[in-house]
Amino acid sequence: MNPRHLKSDLLFLLSASIWGFAFVAQRMGMDHVGPFTFNGMRFFLGAMVLVPFIYKHRGNRPNNEDGPCQVRNNHLVYYGGLAGLTIFAGASLQQVGLVYTTAGKAGFITGLYVVIVPILGLLWGQRTNAGTWGGALMAATGMYLLSVNEDLTVSFGDLLELIGALFWACHIHLIGWLSPKTDPLRLAFLQFMVCAVASLIAAVIVETASFAAIAAAALPIIYGGALSVGVAYTLQVVAQRRAHPAHAAILLSLEAVFAAVGGWLLLGEVMSGRGIVGCSIMFSGMLVSQLYGLVTGSRQHAVLR
């Protein structure tokens, strides 16, 4: 194996494990604070982690295919605000959903964004392939087995996670549009700060949090913010420079598996046989959706978070 690919693979695997176990931290944190307070604190921490990297690269300017990319500050603020509000919607639905569902189920349902992204791309005239539709069918089948009860109802938490996955997919498209226009680190910082501020405003309106409660949730907040939002994002950016697309697709999809393992190890969550089968089919659908275009050489690329 190419040593550069091996290094990227290890970074992707580390990022996926951090993101997967973050679902556990998010559930544990809400033993002490509400979902909006938790998100506000963790995204603020995530933004702070990026500050040293922004300072180090302050003299650099991103390039696109047409040459140096010049971005005015007001445009950057607009882009960051738009991306931040999209993250706020996805993160809020995910966090509130975790009140009503398990970390493992939340991880797999959130992971469906990799299937939703190419389907949404059809709205913008992007081409898709048979792998997208095959993966979507498999994911829908797995979702049915995982979340639909015997009386043909879906739990409230699972529904929130599914809607949240739609917003995460929208965020992927949004970042794909914005990235060539601006500096990715500054964009990330602004979107995290916008999400943090919006979450804290919502927390003030609908939640009550004390300093003692925030202190009790400090470790999950630090993990969910500094590691999941800040460090894992940076690792992915570094890994993508020399990554093999197929390796990236597979390894980042393992986020859902790590969420289920973390929920089992740390929270004592146990899935039914039906749920395990559903997760397995969903995971297979994610991989089919991601890898089909890479194997066949079609124009669709792997979706990276």
Side-chain angles (χ1 to χ4, degrees):
M1 177 183 290
N2 188 317
R4 292 178 177 178
H5 287 168
L6 177 59
K7 180 180 178 181
S8 295
D9 289 353
L10 292 175
L11 291 178
F12 279 132
L13 183 62
L14 181 57
S15 296
S17 65
I18 291 174
W19 281 326
F21 279 88
F23 284 94
V24 177
Q26 289 170 240
R27 284 213 75 192
M28 294 174 67
M30 286 188 297
D31 289 339
H32 310 283
V33 296
F36 292 108
T37 300
F38 185 88
N39 272 347
M41 299 297 293
R42 81 180 183 108
F43 277 97
F44 176 77
L45 277 178
M48 293 301 101
V49 169
L50 294 180
V51 170
F53 297 96
I54 294 173
Y55 180 78
K56 180 179 179 181
H57 296 90
R58 63 191 182 281
N60 297 340
R61 289 292 182 269
N63 294 327
N64 58 26
E65 295 178 354
D66 301 319
C69 179
Q70 300 295 331
V71 182
R72 296 179 180 178
N73 288 335
N74 60 330
H75 288 171
L76 183 59
V77 171
Y78 170 75
Y79 294 151
L82 189 60
L85 290 176
T86 307
I87 287 184
F88 169 71
S92 297
L93 287 163
Q94 182 185 87
Q95 196 68 27
V96 175
L98 278 165
V99 175
Y100 304 98
T101 192
T102 65
K105 291 176 71 174
F108 274 96
I109 296 172
T110 299
L112 290 177
Y113 75 86
V114 302
V115 179
I116 299 172
V117 165
I119 295 176
L120 283 180
L122 296 174
L123 299 176
W124 289 275
Q126 296 179 6
R127 298 176 62 183
T128 187
N129 54 50
T132 296
W133 302 111
L137 179 61
M138 294 173 69
T141 302
M143 177 75 184
Y144 175 84
L145 294 174
L146 178 66
S147 300
V148 178
N149 302 318
E150 294 180 357
D151 57 356
L152 300 182
T153 60
V154 179
S155 74
F156 182 59
D158 290 356
L159 180 60
L160 292 180
E161 297 294 341
L162 182 59
I163 300 173
L166 177 62
F167 277 98
W168 290 123
C170 290
H171 182 257
I172 293 290
H173 278 290
L174 187 60
I175 292 301
W177 175 62
L178 296 178
S179 292
K181 303 174 185 294
T182 187
D183 179 270
L185 284 175
R186 289 179 173 85
L187 175 63
F189 172 82
L190 282 173
Q191 69 176 2
F192 294 159
M193 283 298 296
V194 168
C195 180
V197 171
S199 297
L200 291 174
I201 291 174
V204 170
I205 296 174
V206 302
E207 296 175 357
T208 301
S210 64
F211 287 109
I214 293 175
L219 286 180
I221 289 174
I222 291 172
Y223 184 96
L227 287 179
S228 178
V229 177
V231 173
Y233 167 83
T234 306
L235 290 176
Q236 182 197 345
V237 170
V238 172
Q240 281 182 226
R241 294 176 180 174
R242 306 184 189 278
H244 188 291
H247 296 184
I250 293 172
L251 292 170
L252 290 180
S253 295
L254 290 176
E255 172 189 353
V257 178
F258 281 114
V261 172
W264 171 61
L265 287 176
L266 301 176
L267 300 177
E269 297 176 353
V270 178
M271 284 191 186
S272 65
R274 175 189 170 106
I276 292 173
V277 171
C279 287
S280 300
I281 296 175
M282 287 173 67
F283 184 67
S284 299
M286 295 174 200
L287 293 182
V288 168
S289 177
Q290 289 282 276
L291 299 179
Y292 182 90
L294 295 171
V295 173
T296 60
S298 65
R299 293 179 60 185
Q300 182 179 310
H301 300 290
V303 175
L304 301 184
R305 179 166 174 159

